[in-house]
Amino acid sequence: MGFQHINFVDIEFDDPQILLHKDVIYINGGNPFTLLYYAKKSGADEIIRTLAAQNVIIVGVSAGTLLLGPNINIVDFFTPQMNTMNLKDFKALGVTDKLVFPHYDREDIFKDSTNKTIEEKIVKFESNENCKVTRLNDEEYISILINQAY
C-alpha cells in the first residue's frame, strides 16, 4: 500500500503520544476490556479522539472496532468472562455512534450454555439496550466518515 514508515505501539507499555502526527492509526483486536482499560489509563483515548477530529484515518479491527464505538456493552453481554480487568464503565471512545458486532459469522467462538445463535443474542441485546447493532462477518468492513463537510 506504499507505507514508508510503520510504528508498532502497545498502549499498555508505550507512550501514546507517538500516535500524534501519524497519517493512519490501525487498532488491532484482542480483549476489548483490556484494550479499553489501557486506552483510558494511558491517555490514548483522548489522543485517538483528537486524531479522529482531525480526519486522521483510523482503522479498527475486531476489539479495535469496538473501542471506537460508543461502548462495549455488547461484549459484556456476550462474553462477560473476558472482563479480567473488572471494568465497571464500558463507555468507549465514541469516535462513532455505531455499535458494531464483529465476527458475526463465527458461531464457533460465541457458543454458550443457552445454545442461542449470535443473531438471537444480538436481537435480545438490541431489545434490552434499545439500540441497533451493525453486524459484520470476518471478511466485511464498513467505512465511516466523521466531521466531513458536505
Side-chain angles (χ1 to χ4, degrees), residues 55-114:
N55 295 320
V56 169
I57 296 168
I58 301 176
V59 178
V61 176
S62 190
T65 302
L66 295 161
L67 181 73
L68 296 173
N71 60 64
I72 63 167
N73 295 353
I74 198 161
V75 182
D76 188 56
F77 183 79
F78 268 77
T79 54
Q81 69 277 9
M82 290 182 73
N83 189 359
T84 57
M85 307 305 289
N86 296 313
L87 289 185
K88 303 290 185 231
D89 178 7
F90 300 141
K91 184 177 179 194
L93 276 57
V95 170
T96 176
D97 62 357
K98 280 205 178 295
L99 269 173
V100 176
F101 187 90
H103 313 299
Y104 179 69
D105 56 342
R106 296 290 310 275
E107 293 287 346
D108 60 308
I109 60 175
F110 294 106
K111 289 184 186 283
D112 65 17
S113 61
T114 67

Side-chain angles (χ1 to χ4, degrees), residues 6 8 11 18 27 29 46 50 54 67 75 85 87 90 107 130:
I6 299 171
F8 292 92
I11 59 172
I18 197 169
I27 306 170
E46 292 299 327
T50 298
Q54 295 171 352
L67 181 73
V75 182
M85 307 305 289
L87 289 185
F90 300 141
E107 293 287 346
N130 191 28

